[in-house]
Coordinates of all heavy atoms in Angstrom, one line a residue:
M75 N -19.5 4.9 -2.9 CA -18.6 5.0 -1.8 C -17.7 3.7 -1.9 O -18.2 2.6 -2.0 CB -19.4 5.0 -0.5 CG -18.5 5.0 0.7 SD -19.5 5.4 2.2 CE -19.2 7.1 2.3
P76 N -16.4 4.0 -1.7 CA -15.4 2.8 -1.8 C -15.6 2.0 -0.5 O -16.0 2.4 0.5 CB -14.1 3.5 -1.8 CG -14.3 4.9 -1.4 CD -15.7 5.2 -1.6
A77 N -15.2 0.7 -0.7 CA -15.2 -0.2 0.5 C -14.2 0.2 1.5 O -13.2 0.7 1.2 CB -14.9 -1.6 0.0
R78 N -14.6 0.0 2.8 CA -13.7 0.3 3.9 C -12.6 -0.6 4.0 O -12.7 -1.8 3.9 CB -14.6 0.3 5.2 CG -13.8 0.8 6.4 CD -14.7 0.9 7.5 NE -14.0 1.1 8.7 CZ -14.5 1.5 9.9 NH1 -15.7 1.6 10.0 NH2 -13.7 1.6 10.9
V79 N -11.4 -0.1 4.2 CA -10.2 -0.9 4.3 C -9.8 -0.9 5.8 O -9.6 0.1 6.4 CB -9.0 -0.3 3.4 CG1 -7.7 -1.1 3.6 CG2 -9.4 -0.2 2.0
E80 N -9.6 -2.1 6.3 CA -9.3 -2.3 7.7 C -7.9 -2.9 7.9 O -7.3 -2.8 8.9 CB -10.3 -3.1 8.4 CG -11.7 -2.3 8.5 CD -12.7 -3.1 9.3 OE1 -12.4 -4.0 10.0 OE2 -13.9 -2.7 9.2
R81 N -7.5 -3.7 6.9 CA -6.2 -4.4 7.1 C -5.4 -4.1 5.8 O -5.9 -3.9 4.7 CB -6.4 -5.9 7.2 CG -7.1 -6.2 8.5 CD -7.2 -7.7 8.7 NE -6.0 -8.4 9.0 CZ -5.4 -8.4 10.2 NH1 -6.0 -7.8 11.2 NH2 -4.3 -9.1 10.4
T82 N -4.1 -4.1 6.0 CA -3.2 -3.9 4.9 C -2.2 -5.0 4.9 O -1.9 -5.7 5.9 CB -2.4 -2.6 4.9 OG1 -1.6 -2.6 6.1 CG2 -3.4 -1.4 4.9
D83 N -1.6 -5.3 3.7 CA -0.5 -6.3 3.6 C 0.6 -5.7 2.8 O 0.7 -5.9 1.6 CB -1.1 -7.5 2.9 CG -0.1 -8.7 2.9 OD1 0.9 -8.6 3.8 OD2 -0.2 -9.6 2.1
P84 N 1.4 -4.8 3.4 CA 2.4 -4.1 2.6 C 3.6 -5.1 2.2 O 3.8 -6.1 2.8 CB 3.0 -3.1 3.6 CG 2.8 -3.7 5.0 CD 1.5 -4.5 4.8
D85 N 4.1 -4.7 1.0 CA 5.3 -5.4 0.6 C 6.5 -4.9 1.3 O 6.8 -3.7 1.2 CB 5.5 -5.3 -0.9 CG 4.4 -5.9 -1.7 OD1 3.9 -6.9 -1.2 OD2 4.0 -5.4 -2.8
G86 N 7.3 -5.7 2.0 CA 8.4 -5.2 2.7 C 8.1 -4.6 4.1 O 7.2 -5.2 4.8
V87 N 8.7 -3.6 4.5 CA 8.6 -3.0 5.8 C 7.3 -2.2 5.9 O 7.0 -1.4 5.0 CB 9.8 -2.1 6.1 CG1 9.6 -1.5 7.5 CG2 11.1 -2.9 6.1
D88 N 6.6 -2.4 7.0 CA 5.3 -1.6 7.2 C 5.8 -0.4 8.0 O 6.0 -0.5 9.2 CB 4.4 -2.5 8.0 CG 3.0 -1.8 8.3 OD1 2.9 -0.6 7.9 OD2 2.2 -2.4 8.9
Y89 N 5.9 0.7 7.4 CA 6.4 1.9 8.0 C 5.4 2.5 9.0 O 5.9 3.1 10.0 CB 6.7 3.0 6.9 CG 7.8 2.6 6.0 CD1 7.6 2.1 4.8 CD2 9.1 2.6 6.5 CE1 8.6 1.7 3.9 CE2 10.2 2.2 5.7 CZ 9.9 1.8 4.4 OH 11.0 1.4 3.6
G90 N 4.1 2.3 8.9 CA 3.2 2.7 9.9 C 3.4 2.0 11.2 O 3.4 2.6 12.3
R91 N 3.7 0.7 11.2 CA 4.0 -0.1 12.4 C 5.3 0.3 13.0 O 5.5 0.4 14.2 CB 4.1 -1.6 12.0 CG 4.4 -2.5 13.2 CD 4.3 -4.0 12.8 NE 5.1 -4.8 13.7 CZ 4.7 -5.3 14.8 NH1 3.5 -5.0 15.3 NH2 5.5 -6.1 15.6
V92 N 6.3 0.7 12.1 CA 7.6 1.2 12.6 C 7.4 2.5 13.4 O 7.9 2.7 14.4 CB 8.6 1.4 11.4 CG1 9.9 2.1 11.9 CG2 9.0 0.0 10.8
M93 N 6.6 3.4 12.8 CA 6.3 4.6 13.5 C 5.6 4.4 14.8 O 5.9 5.1 15.8 CB 5.5 5.6 12.6 CG 6.3 6.1 11.4 SD 5.4 7.0 10.2 CE 4.1 7.8 11.0
Q94 N 4.6 3.5 14.9 CA 3.9 3.3 16.1 C 4.8 2.7 17.2 O 4.8 3.1 18.3 CB 2.7 2.3 15.8 CG 1.6 3.0 15.1 CD 0.5 2.0 14.7 OE1 0.7 0.8 14.8 NE2 -0.6 2.5 14.2
L95 N 5.6 1.7 16.8 CA 6.5 1.0 17.7 C 7.6 2.0 18.2 O 7.9 2.1 19.4 CB 7.2 -0.2 17.1 CG 6.4 -1.4 16.9 CD1 7.2 -2.4 16.1 CD2 5.9 -2.0 18.2
T96 N 8.1 2.9 17.3 CA 9.0 3.9 17.7 C 8.5 4.8 18.7 O 9.1 5.1 19.7 CB 9.5 4.7 16.5 OG1 10.1 3.8 15.5 CG2 10.5 5.8 16.8
F97 N 7.2 5.3 18.5 CA 6.6 6.2 19.5 C 6.4 5.5 20.9 O 6.8 6.1 21.9 CB 5.2 6.6 19.0 CG 4.5 7.5 19.9 CD1 4.8 8.8 20.0 CD2 3.4 7.0 20.7 CE1 4.1 9.7 20.9 CE2 2.8 7.8 21.6 CZ 3.1 9.1 21.7
V98 N 5.9 4.3 20.9 CA 5.7 3.6 22.2 C 7.0 3.3 22.9 O 7.1 3.6 24.1 CB 4.8 2.3 21.9 CG1 4.8 1.5 23.2 CG2 3.5 2.7 21.4
V99 N 7.9 2.7 22.2 CA 9.2 2.4 22.8 C 10.0 3.6 23.3 O 10.6 3.6 24.3 CB 10.1 1.5 21.9 CG1 11.4 1.3 22.4 CG2 9.3 0.2 21.6
T100 N 9.9 4.7 22.5 CA 10.6 5.9 22.9 C 10.0 6.5 24.2 O 10.8 6.9 25.1 CB 10.5 7.0 21.8 OG1 11.2 6.4 20.6 CG2 11.3 8.2 22.2
I101 N 8.7 6.5 24.3 CA 8.1 7.0 25.6 C 8.5 6.1 26.7 O 8.8 6.6 27.8 CB 6.5 7.0 25.4 CG1 6.2 8.1 24.3 CG2 5.9 7.4 26.7 CD1 6.6 9.5 24.6
I102 N 8.3 4.8 26.5 CA 8.6 3.8 27.6 C 10.1 3.8 28.1 O 10.4 3.8 29.2 CB 8.2 2.4 27.2 CG1 6.6 2.3 27.1 CG2 8.7 1.4 28.2 CD1 6.1 1.0 26.5
A103 N 11.0 3.9 27.1 CA 12.4 3.8 27.4 C 13.0 5.2 27.6 O 13.9 5.4 28.4 CB 13.2 3.0 26.3
G104 N 12.5 6.2 26.8 CA 13.1 7.5 26.8 C 12.9 8.3 28.0 O 13.9 9.0 28.5
A105 N 11.8 8.2 28.6 CA 11.5 9.0 29.8 C 12.4 8.6 31.0 O 13.0 9.5 31.6 CB 10.0 8.9 30.3
P106 N 12.6 7.3 31.3 CA 13.6 7.0 32.3 C 15.0 7.3 32.0 O 15.8 7.7 32.9 CB 13.4 5.5 32.5 CG 12.1 5.1 31.9 CD 11.8 6.1 30.8
I107 N 15.4 7.2 30.7 CA 16.7 7.6 30.3 C 17.0 9.1 30.5 O 18.0 9.5 31.1 CB 17.0 7.2 28.8 CG1 17.1 5.7 28.7 CG2 18.3 7.8 28.3 CD1 17.1 5.2 27.3
V108 N 16.0 9.9 30.1 CA 16.2 11.4 30.3 C 16.2 11.7 31.8 O 17.1 12.5 32.3 CB 15.0 12.1 29.6 CG1 15.1 13.6 30.0 CG2 15.2 12.0 28.1
A109 N 15.4 11.0 32.6 CA 15.4 11.3 34.0 C 16.7 10.9 34.7 O 17.2 11.7 35.5 CB 14.2 10.5 34.7
V110 N 17.2 9.7 34.4 CA 18.5 9.3 35.0 C 19.6 10.2 34.6 O 20.4 10.6 35.4 CB 18.7 7.8 34.6 CG1 20.1 7.4 35.0 CG2 17.7 6.9 35.3
L111 N 19.7 10.5 33.3 CA 20.8 11.3 32.8 C 20.7 12.8 33.4 O 21.7 13.4 33.5 CB 20.8 11.4 31.3 CG 21.2 10.1 30.6 CD1 21.2 10.2 29.1 CD2 22.6 9.7 31.0
S112 N 19.5 13.2 33.6 CA 19.4 14.6 34.2 C 19.9 14.7 35.6 O 20.2 15.8 36.1 CB 17.9 15.0 34.1 OG 17.1 14.3 35.1
L113 N 20.1 13.6 36.3 CA 20.6 13.6 37.6 C 22.1 14.0 37.7 O 22.6 14.4 38.7 CB 20.4 12.3 38.3 CG 19.0 11.8 38.5 CD1 18.9 10.4 39.1 CD2 18.2 12.8 39.5
T114 N 22.8 13.8 36.5 CA 24.2 14.0 36.5 C 24.6 15.4 35.9 O 25.7 15.8 35.8 CB 24.9 13.0 35.6 OG1 24.4 13.1 34.2 CG2 24.6 11.6 36.1
V115 N 23.5 16.2 35.6 CA 23.8 17.5 35.0 C 23.1 18.6 35.8 O 22.0 18.4 36.3 CB 23.2 17.6 33.5 CG1 23.4 18.9 32.9 CG2 23.8 16.4 32.7
A116 N 23.7 19.8 35.9 CA 23.1 20.9 36.6 C 22.1 21.6 35.7 O 22.5 22.0 34.6 CB 24.1 21.9 37.1
L117 N 20.8 21.6 36.1 CA 19.8 22.2 35.2 C 19.0 23.2 36.1 O 18.0 23.0 36.6 CB 18.8 21.1 34.7 CG 19.5 20.0 33.9 CD1 18.5 18.9 33.6 CD2 20.0 20.6 32.6
P118 N 19.6 24.4 36.2 CA 19.1 25.4 37.1 C 17.7 26.1 36.7 O 16.9 26.5 37.5 CB 20.2 26.5 37.3 CG 20.9 26.3 36.0 CD 20.9 24.9 35.6
T119 N 17.5 26.2 35.4 CA 16.3 26.9 34.9 C 15.5 25.9 34.1 O 15.9 24.8 33.6 CB 16.7 28.1 34.0 OG1 17.3 27.6 32.8 CG2 17.6 29.0 34.7
W120 N 14.2 26.3 33.8 CA 13.3 25.5 33.0 C 13.8 25.4 31.6 O 13.6 24.4 30.9 CB 11.9 26.0 33.1 CG 11.2 25.6 34.4 CD1 11.0 26.4 35.5 CD2 10.7 24.3 34.6 NE1 10.3 25.6 36.4 CE2 10.1 24.3 35.9 CE3 10.7 23.1 33.9 CZ2 9.6 23.2 36.5 CZ3 10.1 22.0 34.5 CH2 9.5 22.1 35.8
I121 N 14.4 26.5 31.1 CA 14.9 26.4 29.7 C 16.0 25.4 29.6 O 16.0 24.6 28.6 CB 15.4 27.8 29.3 CG1 14.3 28.9 29.3 CG2 16.1 27.8 28.0 CD1 13.2 28.6 28.3
D122 N 16.9 25.3 30.6 CA 18.0 24.3 30.6 C 17.4 22.9 30.6 O 17.8 22.0 29.9 CB 18.9 24.5 31.7 CG 19.7 25.8 31.6 OD1 20.0 26.3 30.5 OD2 20.1 26.3 32.7
R123 N 16.3 22.7 31.4 CA 15.7 21.4 31.5 C 15.0 21.0 30.2 O 15.2 19.8 29.8 CB 14.7 21.4 32.6 CG 15.3 21.6 34.0 CD 14.3 21.8 35.1 NE 14.9 22.1 36.3 CZ 14.4 22.7 37.3 NH1 13.1 23.1 37.2 NH2 15.0 23.0 38.4
V124 N 14.4 21.9 29.6 CA 13.7 21.6 28.3 C 14.7 21.3 27.2 O 14.5 20.3 26.5 CB 12.8 22.8 27.9 CG1 12.3 22.7 26.5 CG2 11.6 23.0 28.9
L125 N 15.7 22.1 27.1 CA 16.7 21.9 26.1 C 17.5 20.6 26.3 O 17.7 19.9 25.3 CB 17.7 23.1 26.1 CG 17.2 24.4 25.6 CD1 18.2 25.5 25.7 CD2 16.7 24.3 24.2
F126 N 17.7 20.2 27.5 CA 18.3 19.0 27.8 C 17.4 17.8 27.4 O 17.9 16.8 26.8 CB 18.7 18.9 29.3 CG 19.3 17.5 29.7 CD1 20.6 17.3 29.5 CD2 18.5 16.5 30.3 CE1 21.2 16.1 29.9 CE2 19.0 15.3 30.7 CZ 20.3 15.1 30.5
A127 N 16.2 17.9 27.8 CA 15.2 16.8 27.4 C 15.1 16.7 25.9 O 15.0 15.6 25.4 CB 13.9 17.1 28.1
V128 N 15.1 17.8 25.2 CA 15.0 17.7 23.7 C 16.2 17.1 23.1 O 16.1 16.3 22.2 CB 14.7 19.1 23.2 CG1 14.8 19.2 21.7 CG2 13.3 19.6 23.6
R129 N 17.4 17.5 23.6 CA 18.6 17.0 23.0 C 18.7 15.5 23.3 O 19.0 14.7 22.4 CB 19.8 17.7 23.6 CG 20.1 19.1 23.0 CD 21.4 19.6 23.4 NE 21.6 19.7 24.9 CZ 21.4 20.8 25.6 NH1 21.1 21.9 25.0 NH2 21.6 20.7 26.9
V130 N 18.5 15.0 24.5 CA 18.6 13.6 24.8 C 17.5 12.9 24.2 O 17.7 11.8 23.6 CB 18.6 13.4 26.4 CG1 18.5 11.9 26.7 CG2 19.8 14.0 27.0
G131 N 16.3 13.4 24.2 CA 15.1 12.8 23.6 C 15.3 12.6 22.1 O 14.9 11.6 21.5
A132 N 15.9 13.5 21.4 CA 16.2 13.4 20.0 C 17.1 12.2 19.7 O 16.9 11.4 18.7 CB 16.8 14.7 19.4
V133 N 18.1 12.1 20.5 CA 19.0 10.9 20.3 C 18.3 9.6 20.6 O 18.4 8.7 19.8 CB 20.3 11.1 21.2 CG1 21.1 9.8 21.1 CG2 21.1 12.3 20.8
V134 N 17.5 9.6 21.6 CA 16.8 8.3 21.9 C 15.8 8.0 20.8 O 15.7 6.9 20.4 CB 16.0 8.5 23.3 CG1 15.1 7.3 23.5 CG2 17.0 8.6 24.4
W135 N 15.1 9.0 20.3 CA 14.2 8.8 19.2 C 14.8 8.3 17.9 O 14.3 7.3 17.4 CB 13.5 10.1 18.9 CG 12.4 10.0 17.9 CD1 12.5 10.0 16.5 CD2 11.0 9.8 18.1 NE1 11.3 9.8 15.9 CE2 10.3 9.7 16.9 CE3 10.3 9.7 19.3 CZ2 9.0 9.5 16.8 CZ3 8.9 9.5 19.2 CH2 8.3 9.4 18.0
I136 N 16.0 8.8 17.5 CA 16.7 8.3 16.3 C 17.2 6.9 16.5 O 17.0 6.1 15.7 CB 17.9 9.3 16.0 CG1 17.4 10.6 15.6 CG2 18.8 8.7 15.0 CD1 16.6 10.6 14.3
V137 N 17.8 6.6 17.7 CA 18.3 5.3 17.9 C 17.1 4.3 17.9 O 17.2 3.2 17.4 CB 19.1 5.2 19.3 CG1 19.4 3.8 19.7 CG2 20.3 6.0 19.1
T138 N 16.0 4.6 18.6 CA 14.8 3.8 18.6 C 14.3 3.5 17.2 O 13.9 2.4 16.9 CB 13.8 4.4 19.6 OG1 14.3 4.6 20.8 CG2 12.6 3.4 19.7
A139 N 14.1 4.6 16.5 CA 13.6 4.5 15.1 C 14.4 3.6 14.2 O 13.9 2.7 13.5 CB 13.5 5.9 14.5
L140 N 15.7 3.7 14.3 CA 16.6 2.9 13.5 C 16.5 1.4 14.0 O 16.5 0.5 13.2 CB 18.1 3.4 13.6 CG 18.3 4.7 12.9 CD1 19.7 5.2 13.1 CD2 18.0 4.6 11.4
A141 N 16.5 1.2 15.3 CA 16.3 -0.1 15.8 C 15.0 -0.8 15.4 O 15.0 -2.0 15.0 CB 16.5 -0.1 17.3
M142 N 13.9 0.0 15.5 CA 12.6 -0.6 15.1 C 12.6 -0.9 13.6 O 12.0 -1.9 13.2 CB 11.5 0.4 15.4 CG 11.2 0.6 16.9 SD 10.7 -1.0 17.7 CE 12.1 -1.4 18.6
Y143 N 13.2 0.0 12.8 CA 13.3 -0.3 11.3 C 14.0 -1.6 11.1 O 13.6 -2.4 10.3 CB 13.9 0.9 10.6 CG 14.1 0.6 9.1 CD1 13.0 0.7 8.3 CD2 15.3 0.2 8.6 CE1 13.1 0.4 6.9 CE2 15.4 -0.1 7.3 CZ 14.3 0.0 6.4 OH 14.5 -0.3 5.1
A144 N 15.2 -1.7 11.7 CA 16.0 -2.9 11.5 C 15.2 -4.2 12.0 O 15.3 -5.2 11.3 CB 17.3 -2.8 12.3
Y145 N 14.5 -4.1 13.1 CA 13.7 -5.2 13.6 C 12.6 -5.6 12.6 O 12.5 -6.7 12.3 CB 13.1 -4.8 15.0 CG 12.1 -5.8 15.5 CD1 12.5 -7.0 16.0 CD2 10.7 -5.5 15.4 CE1 11.6 -7.9 16.5 CE2 9.8 -6.4 15.8 CZ 10.2 -7.6 16.4 OH 9.3 -8.5 16.8
E146 N 11.9 -4.6 12.1 CA 10.8 -4.9 11.2 C 11.4 -5.4 9.8 O 10.8 -6.3 9.2 CB 10.0 -3.6 10.9 CG 9.0 -3.3 12.0 CD 8.0 -4.4 12.1 OE1 7.4 -4.8 11.1 OE2 7.7 -4.8 13.3
R147 N 12.5 -4.9 9.4 CA 13.1 -5.4 8.2 C 13.5 -6.9 8.3 O 13.3 -7.7 7.4 CB 14.3 -4.5 7.8 CG 14.8 -4.9 6.4 CD 15.7 -3.9 5.9 NE 16.2 -4.3 4.6 CZ 16.6 -3.6 3.7 NH1 16.6 -2.3 3.9 NH2 17.1 -4.1 2.6
R148 N 14.1 -7.2 9.4 CA 14.5 -8.6 9.7 C 13.3 -9.5 9.8 O 13.3 -10.6 9.4 CB 15.4 -8.6 10.9 CG 16.1 -9.9 11.1 CD 17.1 -9.9 12.2 NE 17.2 -8.6 12.9 CZ 17.4 -8.4 14.2 NH1 17.5 -9.5 15.0 NH2 17.4 -7.2 14.7
R149 N 12.3 -8.9 10.4 CA 11.0 -9.7 10.7 C 10.3 -10.0 9.3 O 9.7 -11.1 9.2 CB 10.1 -8.9 11.6 CG 8.9 -9.6 12.0 CD 8.1 -8.8 13.0 NE 6.7 -9.0 12.9 CZ 5.8 -8.3 12.2 NH1 6.2 -7.2 11.6 NH2 4.6 -8.7 12.1
T150 N 10.4 -9.2 8.4 CA 9.7 -9.4 7.1 C 10.5 -10.3 6.1 O 10.0 -10.7 5.2 CB 9.4 -8.0 6.4 OG1 10.6 -7.3 6.1 CG2 8.4 -7.2 7.2
E151 N 11.8 -10.5 6.4 CA 12.6 -11.3 5.5 C 12.4 -12.8 5.7 O 11.9 -13.3 6.6 CB 14.1 -10.9 5.6 CG 14.4 -9.6 5.1 CD 15.8 -9.2 5.3 OE1 16.6 -9.9 6.0 OE2 16.2 -8.2 4.7

């Protein structure tokens, strides 16, 4: 049986950390952003609400992921 690995020391950017930070920051920052932006739009049905949350959430997710990657890249240099 191989030895258990508990820590890693990646060369360059740790993509696992980037993914974890992206998830946490997107939930913390994304939910309030979607809630505030939804106040300015008429969303009469649940389908409209879901589609709005997905569209805004996707943009928040991409922006957060790119920011976390840039942060980690700068941190490792």
Side-chain angles (χ1 to χ4, degrees):
M75 177 170 263
R78 186 173 170 167
V79 177
E80 294 184 12
R81 295 184 71 81
T82 62
D83 188 20
D85 294 329
V87 176
D88 182 357
Y89 294 103
R91 179 173 158 86
V92 170
M93 289 173 29
Q94 290 173 348
L95 287 173
T96 299
F97 179 77
V98 171
V99 172
T100 300
I101 296 299
I102 291 171
I107 289 172
V108 170
V110 168
L111 290 177
S112 71
L113 297 174
T114 64
V115 180
L117 301 168
T119 66
W120 278 104
I121 298 295
D122 292 333
R123 294 172 188 159
V124 169
L125 292 175
F126 177 80
V128 169
R129 284 192 302 262
V130 173
V133 172
V134 170
W135 185 274
I136 292 295
V137 169
T138 305
L140 293 173
M142 290 297 106
Y143 176 77
Y145 171 76
E146 281 297 311
R147 186 164 179 156
R148 192 170 1 140
R149 188 175 147 263
T150 59
E151 290 177 352

